[in-house]
Amino acid sequence: MLGRLMAALACALALMLAGAPARSEPVLSLKADGAARTYTAAQLLARPDAVSVSVPSDIAYGGRATYRAVPVLALLAEAGIPTDAPIEVKALDGFIAHYPAGIFTEGGPDGARAFVAVEPHHAPWPKLKGKVATAGPFYIVWQNPKAGRVSSEHWAYQVASIESALDPLVRWPQIDVAPSLPVDAPARRGLTVFIHNCMPCHQMNGGGESTIGPDLNLPMNPTEYFQPAALHRLIRDPAAVRTWPERRMPGFDAATIPDRALDDLIAYLDAMRHRRK
């Protein structure tokens, strides 16, 4: 009797395992002109152009880190994504990074070089500080980033797709400053700071795709409820001003957003409260 019961349990277990869906392997999608090209982690790691990349100041983990990675330019070329147009990188958590046209090619061999780091299935990376996940399965890392227009937000991790995109000002004209502002106006310079550092998580007047953080002008603008010194400190170190369990905003130090650029960003925010849609 016991033998029959054990046999029945073994059979039931075998059927359950047979019917269980296989764990899918992470896939990176590259999109251009409506067409998509996909790569699994294993395919990327097996490529002949996969190399060991060492970065001295890793944004996600801090300090020096080494990854097995593939040059971004090689993947863009295969997918037909032009480098002379803006590129958008979307992450699994809703983060959306905007890369300006030419950022991956400017400076030539001596410029900043971007790679897609690939997390090996058999050797997962450490979990990110304060998070339950790693920076994988795909993470854009840079060598010599100071030689280009690379912000901390261009070190996108948990990447799901890399896509050809229109200029943000073409897609969302409501994020632009007043046409009457001079070319060198602080608020106009601050618009560029906003696109590179804030739009990955925030919208402006409903313009943008990411909804990780709140819209920065609707229903109110931060300059309307923060004193200038408090807003400056919030951007530098959010936890120094307020914190809560689900807070996800990182701080932007002076190496990421210099003091003048931070003043420009606040000038942009202040200008946009008069252009509420």
Side-chain angles (χ1 to χ4, degrees):
M1 184 69 179
L2 182 58
R4 286 186 179 181
L5 180 59
M6 294 297 292
L9 288 173
C11 182
L13 179 60
L15 289 173
M16 289 175 62
L17 292 175
R23 183 180 177 183
S24 59
E25 187 177 2
V27 172
L28 175 66
S29 177
L30 280 85
K31 303 176 182 179
D33 298 326
R37 189 182 184 108
T38 60
Y39 301 86
T40 65
Q43 287 172 334
L44 291 174
L45 290 171
R47 289 171 61 100
D49 56 355
V51 294
S52 180
V53 174
S54 179
V55 292
S57 300
D58 184 76
I59 294 296
Y61 291 108
R64 180 173 292 277
T66 301
Y67 301 97
R68 195 68 181 168
V70 176
V72 166
L73 284 177
L75 296 176
L76 297 181
E78 288 180 7
I81 297 177
T83 58
D84 59 352
I87 291 172
E88 194 173 76
V89 173
K90 296 182 178 180
L92 296 172
D93 64 355
F95 177 92
I96 302 174
H98 300 272
Y99 293 72
I103 189 172
F104 293 114
T105 56
E106 61 191 11
D110 298 325
R113 298 180 64 203
F115 297 81
V116 174
V118 184
E119 182 179 33
H121 176 72
H122 65 280
W125 299 333
K127 291 181 180 179
L128 295 167
K129 184 178 180 180
K131 299 181 182 293
V132 298
T134 72
F138 309 105
Y139 172 28
I140 294 183
V141 302
W142 292 83
Q143 286 187 327
N144 199 22
K146 292 183 179 180
R149 296 170 291 165
V150 181
S151 86
S152 62
E153 305 304 280
H154 294 144
W155 292 70
Y157 55 77
Q158 297 176 0
V159 172
S161 68
I162 301 174
E163 308 177 15
S164 178
L166 293 174
D167 188 286
L169 293 178
V170 174
R171 298 174 71 185
W172 304 293
Q174 66 266 43
I175 73 172
D176 205 354
V177 295
S180 59
L181 278 181
V183 175
D184 60 347
R188 193 175 291 283
R189 295 194 303 266
L191 168 60
T192 300
V193 182
F194 171 80
I195 291 173
H196 291 170
N197 297 281
C198 306
M199 274 194 84
C201 296
H202 297 276
Q203 296 184 353
M204 171 62 70
N205 285 336
E209 291 183 272
S210 182
T211 56
I212 291 179
D215 190 299
L216 293 182
N217 209 34
L218 300 175
M220 291 183 70
N221 189 292
T223 61
E224 296 177 276
Y225 52 86
F226 275 112
Q227 293 292 330
L231 181 55
H232 188 283
R233 192 171 183 188
L234 176 74
I235 297 170
R236 284 281 185 244
D237 181 14
V241 177
R242 62 184 183 189
T243 188
W244 59 97
E246 298 301 318
R247 182 184 62 80
R248 300 173 66 181
M249 180 176 172
F252 294 87
D253 60 21
T256 304
I257 303 181
D259 287 338
R260 181 186 177 187
L262 181 53
D263 290 340
D264 292 341
L265 173 59
I266 294 174
Y268 167 72
L269 294 174
D270 185 58
M272 293 306 291
R273 68 188 176 95
H274 303 293
R275 291 178 62 77
R276 189 170 290 130
K277 300 294 183 178

